[in-house]
């Protein structure tokens, strides 16, 4: 298959995600750390009472399990899916819904079923952006072949913090739809332009490798130093000729790490996807893999993934989902942001990121602080006010979820992690 055909295949896959406005939905997935409530240490996959045991117990509730060899790796239900990240972070992905209320109802239902499995073992699903106590060197990879390959690849070709990404981080991600290529282009531009703002207002990493982290936006720093070829902001994000094909060109030029063939994963290291894809390999599964094995701030599949926020506790997690939904589905808000960032370039975005590492929500962009700009945005939003209001109050105080956690932690670390857990949310709902 020649180069142009490969580009067309990937671009066509992205184009196939187009939806009518009436069919727009919002997707929500979140990564948790499974924590011993007394010691604050992270549970590993294989230890007694660990994450594998919990997955097997959840499977008995009637969910469909996926396995690698004899190891349970995930579960699927009618309304959600569970997967585990490299150091057994417990990820829950809710099926996309049209409204935040529908997502909220599903979240209460799903978590209400899952949390008793952890409660009876005195374990918490912690909602922070980085491991709350345990260092990543103490955490083994789960027995999944692809993580062995990713580890090898990052050792040979990655930046300074890929293992912090794989083992240490926990995020909240929101998926949004687009109606056509022009809509895609506008939303992709805005999503990348607002990257530093979302990292900053949902900063929730107070502890890094067992010590207090003295700067801001740890998640941003980890991703920017993971692998320059596949993470951070793509340098074409603000180009006037942005298109499905331009995104596809980036994918073809990206190292493949591994591919799935003949029922197993095969290590391909730094071989770019352009060389991997031939007539036999260029199918929907391999295209989806190529689009999934990149980790930019804003990732594209058949929807746009906004990947900047740390995992934050309720009500700020649903404030994040509601904010992102309205930023991209409310035309007035989207147009406001598009105009605000009209002169954004890749170089300017990197300088803004660097400033925010030191100054957080107090970082000035043009004539206002990040917190002030985002307060303007929240005040423009008319729908989903019950979810937006808690974030608005936080922005008025120039605070982030990390600030609240820090105050709680200084009083009582164990209580802080309980306050920042799904267990607390379920108990109160």
């Amino acid at each position: 298959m020649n180069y142009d055909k490969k580009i067309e295949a990937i671009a066509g896959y992205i184009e196939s995600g187009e939806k009518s406005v009436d069919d727009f939905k919002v997707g929500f997935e979140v990564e948790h750390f499974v924590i011993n409530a007394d010691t604050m240490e992270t549970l590993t996959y294989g230890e007694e009472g660990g994450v594998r045991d919990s997955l097997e117990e959840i499977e008995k509730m009637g969910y469909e399990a996926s396995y690698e060899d004899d190891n349970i790796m995930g579960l699927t239900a009618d309304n959600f899916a569970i997967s585990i990240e490299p150091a057994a972070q417990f990820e829950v992905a809710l099926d996309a819904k049209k409204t935040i209320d529908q997502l909220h109802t599903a979240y209460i239902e799903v978590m209400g079923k899952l949390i008793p499995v952890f409660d009876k073992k005195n374990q918490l699903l912690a909602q922070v952006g980085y491991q709350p106590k345990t260092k990543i060197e103490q955490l083994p990879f789960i027995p999944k072949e692809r993580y062995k390959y990713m580890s090898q690849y990052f050792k040979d070709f990655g930046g300074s913090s890929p293992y912090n990404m794989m083992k240490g981080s926990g995020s909240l991600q929101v998926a949004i739809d687009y109606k056509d290529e022009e809509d895609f282009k506008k939303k992709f531009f805005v999503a990348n332009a607002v990257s530093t703002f979302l990292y900053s207002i949902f900063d929730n990493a107070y502890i890094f490798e067992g010590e207090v982290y003295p700067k801001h936006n740890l998640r941003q720093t980890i991703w920017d130093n993971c692998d320059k070829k596949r993470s951070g902001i793509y340098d074409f994000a603000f180009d006037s000729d942005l298109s499905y094909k331009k995104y596809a060109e980036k994918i073809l030029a990206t190292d493949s790490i591994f591919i799935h063939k003949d029922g197993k994963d095969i290590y391909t290291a730094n071989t770019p996807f352009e060389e991997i894809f031939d007539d036999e390999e260029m199918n929907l599964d391999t295209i989806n893999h190529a689009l999934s094995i990149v980790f930019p701030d804003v990732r594209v599949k058949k929807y746009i993934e906004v990947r900047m926020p740390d995992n934050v506790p309720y009500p700020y997690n649903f404030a994040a989902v509601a904010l992102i939904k309205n930023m991209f589905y409310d035309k007035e808000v989207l147009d406001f942001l598009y105009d605000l960032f009209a002169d954004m370039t890749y170089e300017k975005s990197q300088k803004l990121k660097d400033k925010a590492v030191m100054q957080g929500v107090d970082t000035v962009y043009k004539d206002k602080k990040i917190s002030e700009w985002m307060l303007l945005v929240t005040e423009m939003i008319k729908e989903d006010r019950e979810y937006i209001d808690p974030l608005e109050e936080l922005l008025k105080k120039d605070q982030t979820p990390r600030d609240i956690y820090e105050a709680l932690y200084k009083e009582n670390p164990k209580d802080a992690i309980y306050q920042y857990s799904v267990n607390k949310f379920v108990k109160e709902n």
Side-chain angles (χ1 to χ4, degrees), residues 122-220:
N122 196 34
Q123 296 173 3
L124 305 175
L125 287 189
Q127 297 175 283
V128 288
Y130 198 84
Q131 294 285 357
K133 182 177 180 180
T134 305
K135 298 180 181 180
I136 60 170
E137 65 183 16
Q138 299 170 287
L139 297 170
F141 283 111
I142 64 173
K144 197 168 189 174
E145 196 78 356
R146 64 183 55 190
Y147 293 143
K148 180 179 73 175
Y149 295 151
M150 289 175 69
S151 178
Q152 182 61 50
Y153 171 85
F154 285 131
K155 179 182 177 182
D156 294 338
F157 305 106
S160 60
S161 60
Y163 302 113
N164 301 103
M165 175 275 286
M166 294 179 74
K167 292 185 175 185
S169 64
S171 72
L172 178 160
Q173 300 177 21
V174 179
I176 56 172
D177 291 319
Y178 43 89
K179 65 179 181 179
D180 53 32
E181 193 164 23
E182 281 303 307
D183 191 40
F184 163 84
K185 179 178 176 179
K186 188 173 186 177
K187 288 173 177 174
F188 189 78
F189 175 94
V190 169
N192 280 278
V194 81
S195 171
T196 304
F197 287 39
L198 293 179
Y199 274 124
S200 299
I201 67 173
F202 295 111
D203 181 7
N204 191 30
Y206 178 60
I207 299 296
F208 175 62
E209 292 299 282
E211 303 291 338
V212 172
Y213 186 65
K215 300 178 183 178
H216 302 276
N217 300 8
L218 173 61
R219 177 174 175 78
Q220 171 191 295

Side-chain angles (χ1 to χ4, degrees), residues 53-84:
D53 290 351
S54 295
L55 289 171
E56 290 173 347
E57 186 170 347
I58 295 168
E59 180 187 9
K60 295 174 183 177
M61 296 163 63
Y63 303 129
E64 182 179 347
S66 59
Y67 282 81
E68 185 164 311
D69 296 326
D70 293 327
N71 298 302
I72 186 170
M73 290 288 132
L75 296 155
T76 305
D78 291 337
N79 208 28
F80 68 100
I82 296 169
S83 58
I84 49 172

Side-chain angles (χ1 to χ4, degrees), residues 282-298:
M282 198 72 172
N283 56 52
L284 294 180
D285 287 340
T286 54
I287 291 173
N288 182 62
H289 166 62
L291 292 168
S292 301
I293 200 65
V294 297
F295 315 116
D297 290 356
V298 185

Side-chain angles (χ1 to χ4, degrees), residues 240-254:
S240 60
D241 62 346
L242 174 67
S243 63
Y244 296 150
K245 288 186 176 181
K246 197 151 192 177
Y247 195 92
E249 289 170 358
K250 175 62 177 180
I251 296 301
L252 281 189
T254 302

Side-chain angles (χ1 to χ4, degrees), residues 6 27 45 69 85 91 95 97 116 123 162 166 189 196 210 270 285 306 309 322 326 329 356 372 379 405:
K6 295 172 185 177
Y45 178 78
D69 296 326
E85 295 297 303
E91 179 178 284
D95 287 356
K97 306 291 184 184
Q123 296 173 3
M166 294 179 74
F189 175 94
T196 304
N270 63 333
D285 287 340
V306 180
N326 283 279
Y329 291 167
E372 293 171 332
E379 290 171 345
Y405 185 79

Side-chain angles (χ1 to χ4, degrees), residues 1-69:
M1 183 181 290
N2 66 33
Y3 181 79
D4 289 342
K5 291 291 187 183
K6 295 172 185 177
I7 291 293
E8 289 174 8
I10 298 173
Y13 185 93
I14 298 170
E15 183 181 12
S16 71
E18 293 178 356
K19 294 180 176 64
S20 68
V21 174
D22 290 341
D23 292 330
F24 279 1
K25 293 182 179 180
V26 183
F28 172 43
E29 63 181 58
V30 61
E31 301 165 347
H32 312 84
F33 304 110
V34 183
I35 303 299
N36 182 302
D38 289 331
T39 67
M40 294 181 64
E41 298 284 352
T42 297
L43 275 295
T44 62
Y45 178 78
E47 68 181 278
E48 184 177 354
V51 175
R52 176 170 55 194
D53 290 351
S54 295
L55 289 171
E56 290 173 347
E57 186 170 347
I58 295 168
E59 180 187 9
K60 295 174 183 177
M61 296 163 63
Y63 303 129
E64 182 179 347
S66 59
Y67 282 81
E68 185 164 311
D69 296 326

Side-chain angles (χ1 to χ4, degrees), residues 235 238 344-354:
D235 59 7
F238 311 111
M344 180 62 77
T345 65
Y346 176 75
E347 291 72 22
K348 288 180 180 178
S349 73
Q350 301 312 293
K351 290 179 180 178
L352 186 63
K353 278 190 168 188
D354 290 342

